[in-house]
């Protein structure tokens, strides 16, 4: 494997509208939840992590957003109170993760369903696939039915977790059984409009990152515009696949419309790890592990090239292409410059608005960005 890595000197930190936090990581974690917190509608969207005790909720949060080794999660204590974790993964995705203890009682008078579910964008219910999940399915039904009555706009996601210990046939059978039973319970309760999405996950491979990517993407109102930008960029540049990554968590916030191959996604994740590790070891002491000029090229033995370029602080575009296509690197770099400019214009518009006004205004703003970008007009081809 041939690796080329470049990271020019960065004289001072640069400013990009909607850029990531200055430190290489996320905000404070494990803060006690204050029930008297300000109005949820004015705060960031929430992702709730719910499930029975020892189902793996806290481990998911630590591995995905705090770079904890999966083996270290074996020593995590069971969650006995609600924890709030502020996540700022890009100007597109700025949210909070609330980790709930498994023994939450929805009928407890102190449990304020209105306050908790009203400002929630997604509810992730984690089921331990290696345990008897009948009790978990009952709690799932109780949880989603209560949340749906308060906020029908919540995205309901089910992580069938800890599948690393199951055979492929057992994984498929477990997913089918959980899917069937959960939807039957909803149909019996006349909740046919409530949609559940199911994912097979494990913290010991990249499945948890891909599942969280799809959850987060549903919270991005500009996702169609991002996909459109990526589609036109790759079609004009001879690129086979492209991901827009949050470098810290390795969540991809957008990709082109072609199907996601798990092996390709894992290659891109590994490339990000290589870039960060090499930068931390050989980079400047006063510079970050990832900056505005970070760039990396990895040539594989099968004539495939992985190409990473910085888009915003801690946001990277990772492309997969054939070696013969990479001979037109000048064209690719020009198209990337146009793509990057369009993304920054989307950020600039998005930073001006909040709530429903922000969503509608950003949509029009992204159209303007697409119209201005030379790569979108095809003049680079």
């Amino acid at each position: 494997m041939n690796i080329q890595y470049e990271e020019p000197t960065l004289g001072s930190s640069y400013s990009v509208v909607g850029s990531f936090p200055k430190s290489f990581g996320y905000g404070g974690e494990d803060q006690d939840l204050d029930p008297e917190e300000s109005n949820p509608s004015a705060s960031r969207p929430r992702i709730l992590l719910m499930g029975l005790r020892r189902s793996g909720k806290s481990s998911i949060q630590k591995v995905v957003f705090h770079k904890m080794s999966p083996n270290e999660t074996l020593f995590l204590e069971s969650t006995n109170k609600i924890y709030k974790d502020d996540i700022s993964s890009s100007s597109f995705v700025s949210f909070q993760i609330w980790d709930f203890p498994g023994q939450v009682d929805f009928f407890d008078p102190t449990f304020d369903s209105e306050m908790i579910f009203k400002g929630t964008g997604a509810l992730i219910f984690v089921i331990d696939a290696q345990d008897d999940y009948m009790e978990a399915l009952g709690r799932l039904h109780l949880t989603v039915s209560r949340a749906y009555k308060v906020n029908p706009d919540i995205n309901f996601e089910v992580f069938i977790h800890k599948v690393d210990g199951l055979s492929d046939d057992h994984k498929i059978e477990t997913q089918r059984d959980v899917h069937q039973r959960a939807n039957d319970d909803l149909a019996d309760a006349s909740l046919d409009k409530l949609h559940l999405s199911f994912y097979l996950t494990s913290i010991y491979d990249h499945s948890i990152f891909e599942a969280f990517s799809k959850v987060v993407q549903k919270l991005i109102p500009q996702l169609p515009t991002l996909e459109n930008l990526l589609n036109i960029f790759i079609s004009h540049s001879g690129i086979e696949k492209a991901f827009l990554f949050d470098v810290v968590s390795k969540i991809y916030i957008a990709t082109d419309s072609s199907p996601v191959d798990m092996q390709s996604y894992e290659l891109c994740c590994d490339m990000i790890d290589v870039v960060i590790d090499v930068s931390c070891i050989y980079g400047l002491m006063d510079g970050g592990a990832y900056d505005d000029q970070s760039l990396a090229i990895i040539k594989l033995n099968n004539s495939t090239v992985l190409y990473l370029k910085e888009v915003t602080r801690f946001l990277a575009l990772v492309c997969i292409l054939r070696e013969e296509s990479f001979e037109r690197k000048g064209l690719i770099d020009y198209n990337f410059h146009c793509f990057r400019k369009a993304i920054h214009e989307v950020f600039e518009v998005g930073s001006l608005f909040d709530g429903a006004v922000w969503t509608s205004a950003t949509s029009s703003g992204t159209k303007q960005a697409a119209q201005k970008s030379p790569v979108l007009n095809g003049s680079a081809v």
Side-chain angles (χ1 to χ4, degrees):
M1 183 171 69
N2 181 20
I3 300 178
Q4 303 175 37
Y5 178 76
E6 302 176 20
E7 188 170 0
T9 302
L10 182 64
S12 60
S13 61
Y14 69 108
S15 175
V16 177
V17 176
S19 62
F20 278 72
K22 295 294 182 185
S23 60
F24 183 64
Y26 290 108
E29 57 175 307
D30 291 352
Q31 304 169 20
D32 289 349
L33 176 63
D34 181 5
E36 302 300 325
E37 201 172 39
S38 57
N39 186 353
S41 62
S43 62
R44 295 172 178 173
R46 300 192 194 113
I47 294 180
L48 307 185
L49 271 175
M50 293 185 163
L52 298 183
R53 290 173 61 88
R54 311 305 298 178
S55 59
K57 305 182 296 297
S58 299
S59 299
I60 291 172
Q61 178 190 354
K62 298 294 186 183
V63 169
V64 175
F65 295 106
H66 296 284
K67 305 184 85 65
M68 179 179 283
S69 167
N71 292 326
E72 293 179 34
T73 63
L74 297 173
F75 305 102
L76 287 176
E77 295 182 3
S78 182
T79 304
N80 54 19
K81 56 183 176 181
I82 301 175
Y83 285 119
K84 179 181 67 175
D85 194 3
D86 283 322
I87 304 296
S88 298
S89 55
S90 75
S91 61
F92 277 54
V93 188
S94 187
F95 57 87
Q96 298 174 330
I97 291 185
W98 289 12
D99 185 4
F100 283 74
Q103 66 273 22
V104 168
D105 183 3
F106 292 101
F107 298 101
D108 189 323
T110 61
F111 186 86
D112 190 347
S113 299
E114 280 287 327
M115 187 276 291
I116 290 175
F117 295 131
K118 204 66 178 177
T120 296
L123 190 158
I124 300 174
F125 195 92
V126 183
I127 294 178
D128 185 348
Q130 297 185 21
D131 198 2
D132 182 10
Y133 47 77
M134 299 312 295
E135 182 184 356
L137 285 171
R139 179 62 65 90
L140 168 65
H141 179 74
L142 176 65
T143 302
V144 298
S145 58
R146 174 65 67 92
Y148 184 77
K149 291 177 182 177
V150 176
N151 182 5
D153 295 326
I154 294 178
N155 296 318
F156 295 101
E157 322 285 351
V158 180
F159 284 7
I160 304 171
H161 196 49
K162 302 183 182 180
V163 297
D164 48 279
L166 307 180
S167 65
D168 290 341
D169 290 341
H170 195 177
K171 289 178 187 178
I172 296 172
E173 177 60 28
T174 300
Q175 183 176 22
R176 186 201 63 77
D177 189 42
V178 170
H179 183 280
Q180 184 68 44
R181 291 177 183 274
N183 283 307
D184 285 348
D185 289 343
L186 292 178
D188 292 341
S190 301
L191 293 172
D192 302 282
K193 293 183 178 180
L194 196 161
H195 176 70
L196 299 175
S197 298
F198 297 86
Y199 309 88
L200 293 171
T201 61
S202 170
I203 58 174
Y204 291 95
D205 57 30
H206 291 85
S207 60
I208 189 62
F209 295 96
E210 185 181 22
F212 235 108
S213 296
K214 293 178 179 178
V215 171
V216 169
Q217 286 169 22
K218 295 179 183 180
L219 303 179
I220 304 175
Q222 307 92 336
L223 182 62
T225 300
L226 290 175
E227 290 180 349
N228 186 48
L229 287 170
L230 286 166
N231 282 334
I232 302 177
F233 169 69
I234 67 170
S235 65
H236 289 168
S237 306
I239 293 172
E240 295 183 356
K241 188 68 182 172
F243 295 92
L244 197 57
F245 268 99
D246 165 23
V247 178
V248 178
S249 66
K250 292 183 289 189
I251 284 176
Y252 66 94
I253 67 169
T255 185
D256 57 88
S257 57
S258 63
V260 175
D261 174 47
M262 193 63 177
Q263 186 177 15
S264 298
Y265 174 64
E266 291 176 357
L267 275 174
C268 294
C269 288
D270 291 342
M271 183 183 194
I272 291 174
D273 287 335
V274 169
V275 171
I276 298 302
D277 290 346
V278 171
S279 182
C280 288
I281 296 171
Y282 298 106
L284 298 175
M285 293 297 294
D286 58 344
Y290 181 80
D291 60 39
D292 64 332
Q293 297 184 59
S294 290
L295 177 150
I297 302 165
I298 296 179
K299 295 183 178 180
L300 305 180
N301 294 332
N302 61 354
S303 299
T304 299
V305 176
L306 305 180
Y307 191 31
L308 179 148
K309 293 202 73 172
E310 181 270 354
V311 178
T312 69
R313 186 174 178 84
F314 297 132
L315 194 63
L317 180 71
V318 184
C319 305
I320 301 174
L321 65 160
R322 307 302 299 175
E323 201 165 347
E324 53 268 25
S325 299
F326 194 67
E327 293 175 359
R328 300 183 298 166
K329 184 174 180 295
L331 172 63
I332 295 172
D333 287 345
Y334 175 76
N335 283 345
F336 171 79
H337 171 76
C338 300
F339 169 81
R340 186 175 185 269
K341 181 180 177 182
I343 292 293
H344 278 236
E345 289 179 6
V346 172
F347 276 118
E348 289 171 0
V349 175
S351 66
L352 300 177
F353 300 92
D354 292 305
V357 177
W358 177 79
T359 302
S360 60
T362 303
S363 298
S364 61
T366 50
K367 291 177 182 177
Q368 295 173 8
Q371 292 169 356
K372 291 179 183 178
S373 173
V375 67
L376 296 177
N377 292 330
S379 60
V381 179

